[in-house]
Amino acid sequence: MKLIESIMTAFSTLRASKLRTFLTMLGIIIGIAGIIGMMSFGAGAKALLLWEVEKVGGPSVFGVYRNDWIRKGNKWIRNPSTHYLTMDDVRAIQTECPSVDVATPEMWGHATLIASGKNKNSRMQATTYEYQIARKWYNGYGRFLSDDDLNLWSKVCVIGEQIWKDLFAGLDPVGRELKINNQRFTVIGIMESRGKGLDPENSEDNQVFLPITTAQTHFWGNDRVGHIMIRAKNYELVDRAVREVKTVLDRHHGNLGFFETWIMKEELKTANRIISIIEVILVAIASVSLVVGGIGILNIMLVSVTERIPEIGLRKAVGAKSRDIRLQFLTEAVTLCCIGGLIGIGAGALMGRGFAWAVSKLMQDLIEWPSVITVESILIALLSGVSVGVFFGYYPASRAANLSPIDALRHT
């Protein structure tokens, strides 16, 4: 009951001097709003990162590739290995690695596209049917590459949405001719739009997809595969799948270790760690105003103690204990911080939205930066507010509690 009475008394005291209460809370409001805004910005960055990862195929994806250049000592030299990744390696991974869900080859190249008298520079992606499964990226119209296309070296292609709009003016392109580096191909489908993403210069919608066997025959003249994208059956099996793939490739190539791996799981951990460090720095900077607000509360509470010395003496004279006086003033300080914290959370949510809008505009609306308010950020903000109230309110409360009743009544 004493705590409830202290809270009610605190509200009455704060309500009696509204302007002073608001000015005292202002530092807390700004500090809490800064913390919420910065954490919202960091959470938005993590959400955007996860969205980009999902576009690649999710956190269970990893890949193997052969570097054309390797570092030896302090110099970069051309890779001396005569071994290359091939379609045989892709098939071996698919059949001999039980933790692997899907594996697909990738070969990239520059493409000059011509259709209906228009031309366009694009990115050529040579792959297989499994590509859309590994990337979780499917065709929006028509069909994707099939096993028959690979077996027959068919001169067919699937285009991105940007190519469809630029070269075919949004008309049905299926069955129409498209020249790729002066080779005639037939369009069989359009991919779903992926947007410009974080790298607008290499928009995924500006790609043309070919059967890898066709591209090897007509453009590269060999059976090499530049990169193999692999997805484990689930996130927990990623490490086991990586070991299985390395074992299979080493066995097929005589343990030469000519290839390298990248693992989305590890890349994601590193990126999240960097974002978290930046987020902590931003929150620490925003917390400076919270400390300033706490100093303001310390000052006002000391003034309040001085103004209410007669009241303190009277309460002690009628039997109030020191702990009751300390609880009352400490409750006032904490209540002040909690009210400021709640207002600060609302202001921080608006600040987070403002940051997200500003970043989106700064990047010319190429990406939509999300504004994310997490339960964690709200709890941290409230805990910070309560901590400031306790830390900066304890000294004035103790000073009030230690006053002698006789000296306090003589002060009237």
Side-chain angles (χ1 to χ4, degrees):
M1 288 298 294
K2 287 184 179 180
L3 180 59
I4 296 175
E5 290 175 4
S6 296
I7 294 173
M8 293 176 65
T9 302
F11 272 109
S12 299
T13 304
L14 296 175
R15 202 164 41 238
S17 183
K18 296 183 179 65
L19 181 60
R20 187 169 75 175
T21 298
F22 174 74
L23 293 176
T24 306
M25 287 193 305
L26 198 56
I28 301 298
I29 292 171
I30 294 172
I32 296 296
I35 291 174
I36 291 289
M38 293 302 101
M39 293 190 73
S40 169
F41 187 77
K46 290 179 180 178
L48 188 63
L49 176 63
L50 285 173
W51 180 61
E52 291 294 325
V53 167
E54 285 299 325
K55 284 171 62 176
V56 176
S60 299
V61 167
F62 64 98
V64 292
Y65 60 98
R66 179 190 184 277
N67 257 339
D68 291 332
W69 294 84
I70 60 173
R71 191 174 184 85
K72 192 171 184 179
N74 295 325
K75 294 182 179 180
W76 285 94
I77 64 170
R78 189 171 289 278
N79 193 335
S81 175
T82 57
H83 285 253
Y84 293 83
L85 296 170
T86 66
M87 284 298 296
D88 288 337
D89 295 319
V90 178
R91 284 186 282 268
I93 291 170
Q94 290 171 336
T95 57
E96 299 177 32
C97 299
S99 300
V100 169
D101 181 33
V102 63
T104 183
E106 293 182 297
M107 286 288 284
W108 303 284
H110 174 77
T112 300
L113 310 180
I114 301 174
S116 305
K118 302 175 184 177
N119 61 73
K120 179 179 181 61
N121 291 322
S122 175
R123 187 187 190 197
M124 178 169 57
Q125 173 80 277
T127 186
T128 62
Y129 169 78
E130 287 79 13
Y131 177 86
Q132 60 177 345
I133 301 173
R135 289 286 307 272
K136 300 178 182 178
W137 186 14
Y138 302 93
N139 49 291
Y141 184 72
R143 68 175 180 87
F144 196 65
L145 309 173
S146 68
D147 290 336
D148 287 339
D149 294 327
L150 267 71
N151 295 332
L152 299 174
W153 301 279
S154 301
K155 297 184 73 175
V156 295
C157 66
V158 180
I159 60 175
E161 188 177 271
Q162 188 176 332
I163 298 172
W164 169 52
K165 290 178 179 178
D166 292 345
L167 295 186
F168 296 96
L171 300 176
D172 186 359
V174 173
R176 296 178 65 178
E177 181 183 282
L178 175 65
K179 277 190 176 182
I180 305 174
N181 294 345
N182 292 321
Q183 297 273 349
R184 297 174 185 273
F185 283 78
T186 301
V187 178
I188 59 173
I190 308 171
M191 297 300 289
E192 292 176 337
S193 176
R194 279 291 178 93
K196 294 180 179 180
L198 296 177
D199 185 9
E201 297 299 322
N202 294 298
S203 171
E204 292 201 83
D205 289 343
N206 187 32
Q207 291 188 86
V208 58
F209 299 87
L210 315 178
I212 191 166
T213 52
T214 305
Q216 288 171 338
T217 302
H218 292 277
F219 297 119
W220 292 303
N222 58 59
D223 64 348
R224 296 172 187 172
V225 170
H227 176 258
I228 302 175
M229 176 181 285
I230 305 156
R231 193 175 72 200
K233 288 185 175 178
N234 57 59
Y235 184 79
E236 287 71 26
L237 290 176
V238 170
D239 294 333
R240 184 188 298 178
V242 171
R243 291 194 298 270
E244 291 172 357
V245 168
K246 286 182 177 179
T247 300
V248 167
L249 292 179
D250 283 340
R251 186 167 66 245
H252 278 246
H253 293 272
N255 294 311
L256 293 177
F258 68 96
F259 60 89
E260 296 186 36
T261 62
W262 65 269
I263 306 170
M264 183 60 74
K265 179 181 178 180
E266 301 301 325
E267 301 283 346
L268 192 57
K269 285 181 181 178
T270 302
N272 276 326
R273 193 178 300 119
I274 293 171
I275 292 173
S276 295
I277 291 172
I278 296 173
E279 188 179 18
V280 168
I281 294 172
L282 292 175
V283 168
I285 294 171
S287 298
V288 172
S289 58
L290 194 60
V291 174
V292 173
I295 295 172
I297 286 176
L298 173 64
N299 182 48
I300 291 300
M301 291 304 297
L302 286 172
V303 171
S304 179
V305 169
T306 303
E307 291 175 344
R308 295 161 63 187
I309 286 178
E311 175 194 332
I312 296 168
L314 184 61
R315 289 190 63 188
K316 282 202 165 188
V318 296
K321 295 183 172 58
S322 294
R323 65 170 177 269
D324 297 326
I325 303 298
R326 182 180 291 107
L327 178 63
Q328 178 187 338
F329 280 90
L330 199 56
T331 302
E332 288 181 17
V334 173
T335 301
L336 195 65
C337 288
C338 286
I339 295 172
L342 292 173
I343 298 172
I345 289 171
L350 294 176
M351 185 184 294
R353 287 184 177 274
F355 281 144
W357 177 84
V359 172
S360 298
K361 291 299 178 184
L362 188 64
M363 302 199 61
Q364 300 177 347
D365 291 322
L366 296 174
I367 59 169
E368 185 177 347
W369 193 281
S371 174
V372 181
I373 305 297
T374 62
V375 175
E376 178 188 16
S377 65
I378 294 175
L379 292 177
I380 289 175
L382 287 176
L383 183 60
S384 299
V386 171
S387 300
V388 166
V390 172
F391 183 80
F392 288 97
Y394 187 79
Y395 174 70
S398 294
R399 186 171 176 178
N402 293 331
L403 284 173
S404 166
I406 297 175
D407 292 336
L409 287 172
R410 191 181 295 131
H411 196 273
T412 43

